[in-house]
Amino acid sequence: TLLMEDIAFIDEATHERFKATEIKTDDVFLNITGASIGRSAVADARVAKGNVNQHVCIIRTDQDQLHPQFLNHFLLSKAGQRQIDSFQAGGNRQGLNFAQIRSFRLPVPPLPEQRAIAGALGDVDALLGALTQLIAKKRDLKQAAMQQLLTGQTRLPGFSGAWEAKRLRELGSFSKGRGIRKDELVADGLPCIRYGEIYTHHTDRVRAFFSFIPAEVAKHSQRLCKGDLLFAGSGETAEEIGKCVAFLDDAEAYAGGDIVILSPVGHDSMYLGYLMNHTSVAEQKARMGQGDAVVHISARNLAELNVRLPREAEQTAIAAVLSDMDAELAAIEQRLAKTRALKQGMVQQLLTGRTRLV
């Protein structure tokens, strides 16, 4: 897909000086230098009569022999990328020259079959694009809902009354996780959550486990209780410090070091998991973070965070709305992943001739 976000513009005089790089519709672009080497796309009317810079090679096919979209799909396939990689010394993907590009070998079926293959893969690409756009839209809707519901700007039907200002220390008790070394992890054991995973694997609540420890290590670790809130005590920037996830599972699980735990009483933990990452709370955490190369935040700091809370019943209702939005997002993301896998299978079958369309 040809993305237009980073497109630049030149004046007419500059364009005239670089006529050799003028773009025609159906030109195949191939990035030949830098980190994006090997990416390709097909020119459409949006960029016709424009120019490319020195980082892009234009491949202009004889369309009586080679369909541009078919070539583009091949370049992006594993077979095409392997050939591109074969010219990169030491695996650093340094750059491609025209002689190397001309040496690429690809299976070329009859032109009607090329068109059919390009059409089939193009349809899947269109579906992938639509799903990606839908996910972005749903994420925006969730962010808007969080802004409205977590601040009281919008109230759910049946709820009224003022929200109460609280400090986190008034919501429950704090404790800390205990260090779990990397060499103590096992493939099959009791689940644990390490502070880095709060940044990389979890959003708002724990939905799956990615690390495990043996029972003998668990004896000396901090066990989690259903409803605990887990804050990352260390991070790379003040803006991300103290990211929080709610542990809502009945499973026996443990917290690693650099995790601050809040065990709330009389409040909905799922709601608090969403609230603790809201801008109004994240900005307070950023101000409390200490350190430069690595930023830290303590239980003492977190205890002083200010929040405004509705009654528990309204917290639960808001959490249910946001959780339903998360479930819808997860279903679309799963469909996107399956569609990507489907496309990979189609590419492998269609571009190698294992499956024929014509």
Side-chain angles (χ1 to χ4, degrees):
T1 302
L2 187 61
L3 302 178
M4 304 290 287
E5 286 82 354
D6 296 326
I7 194 167
F9 296 89
I10 58 176
D11 58 31
E12 189 65 32
T14 305
H15 171 71
E16 289 298 324
R17 290 201 305 271
F18 294 98
K19 276 291 188 180
T21 66
E22 183 172 330
I23 299 165
K24 295 183 178 180
T25 302
D26 290 332
D27 281 348
V28 179
F29 298 144
L30 178 64
N31 282 8
I32 57 175
T33 64
S36 61
I37 188 172
R39 293 182 188 172
S40 70
V42 179
D44 57 33
R46 294 175 298 170
V47 294
K49 298 188 181 301
N51 297 80
V52 298
N53 63 19
Q54 71 274 20
H55 302 294
V56 179
C57 170
I58 292 176
I59 305 174
R60 191 166 293 154
T61 69
D62 177 352
Q63 295 193 35
D64 291 331
Q65 299 186 61
L66 183 58
H67 192 279
Q69 292 287 355
F70 177 86
L71 172 61
N72 182 57
H73 286 299
F74 173 79
L75 291 172
L76 294 171
S77 72
K78 289 182 179 178
Q81 292 294 305
R82 275 198 299 268
Q83 293 190 56
I84 291 169
D85 286 340
S86 71
F87 293 111
Q88 309 312 303
N92 291 326
R93 296 175 77 85
Q94 301 275 337
L96 292 170
N97 59 47
F98 288 175
Q100 291 168 337
I101 295 168
R102 290 190 184 98
S103 73
F104 288 170
R105 298 180 63 85
L106 66 155
V108 182
L111 195 59
E113 188 170 359
Q114 293 180 41
R115 293 194 186 101
I117 291 171
L121 295 177
D123 289 343
V124 179
D125 279 340
L127 176 57
L128 287 169
L131 290 172
T132 301
Q133 290 180 353
L134 182 59
I135 288 170
K137 181 180 178 181
K138 294 294 184 182
R139 284 176 177 162
D140 288 344
L141 288 172
K142 180 193 168 186
Q143 289 301 313
M146 290 177 68
Q147 180 60 31
Q148 295 292 314
L149 295 175
L150 295 177
T151 61
Q153 294 176 33
T154 297
R155 307 292 292 274
L156 294 176
F159 295 101
S160 60
W163 288 22
E164 190 173 3
K166 295 274 191 180
R167 293 188 186 273
L168 286 201
R169 55 181 162 80
E170 300 177 72
L171 306 188
S173 58
F174 282 92
S175 56
K176 289 199 68 176
R178 296 174 190 168
I180 295 172
R181 300 193 312 271
K182 191 172 183 179
D183 61 4
E184 293 177 319
L185 300 178
V186 294
D188 185 21
L190 295 168
C192 70
I193 298 170
R194 307 174 76 208
Y195 89 93
E197 295 169 352
I198 295 177
Y199 292 115
T200 58
H201 289 88
H202 305 293
T203 302
D204 301 321
R205 59 181 290 190
V206 175
R207 294 176 172 81
F209 299 105
F210 302 90
S211 297
F212 302 88
I213 54 175
E216 54 268 27
V217 174
K219 291 177 182 178
H220 308 288
S221 301
Q222 177 65 43
R223 182 169 179 175
L224 294 170
C225 296
K226 184 176 182 179
D228 281 348
L229 301 179
L230 282 60
F231 295 87
S234 298
E236 295 183 356
T237 67
E239 289 72 24
E240 69 179 3
I241 192 64
K243 183 184 175 185
C244 178
V245 292
F247 177 72
L248 306 173
D249 208 306
D250 288 312
E252 179 182 349
Y254 295 83
D258 258 348
I259 291 179
V260 180
I261 303 166
L262 171 60
S263 302
V265 177
H267 296 278
D268 188 283
S269 292
M270 186 188 298
Y271 172 87
L272 292 175
Y274 288 114
L275 179 62
M276 291 302 103
N277 297 316
H278 184 260
T279 305
S280 61
V281 178
E283 289 176 347
Q284 294 181 64
K285 290 187 287 189
R287 290 194 296 270
M288 293 175 174
Q290 299 176 337
D292 296 319
V294 178
V295 183
H296 301 276
I297 193 166
S298 66
R300 180 180 299 178
N301 294 137
L302 290 168
E304 298 306 312
L305 291 174
N306 292 296
V307 293
R308 289 178 62 250
L309 299 172
R311 294 180 185 274
E312 187 176 3
E314 188 172 357
Q315 294 178 27
T316 301
I318 292 171
V321 171
L322 297 178
S323 180
D324 287 345
M325 298 180 84
D326 276 339
E328 186 178 10
L329 257 172
I332 301 171
E333 288 169 344
Q334 186 177 36
R335 186 182 175 196
L336 178 64
K338 288 181 178 179
T339 305
R340 283 177 175 153
L342 171 65
K343 183 189 173 186
Q344 289 300 315
M346 290 176 64
V347 165
Q348 185 62 24
Q349 292 295 314
L350 296 177
L351 295 183
T352 59
R354 295 177 184 175
T355 298
R356 306 295 295 271
L357 293 183
V358 176

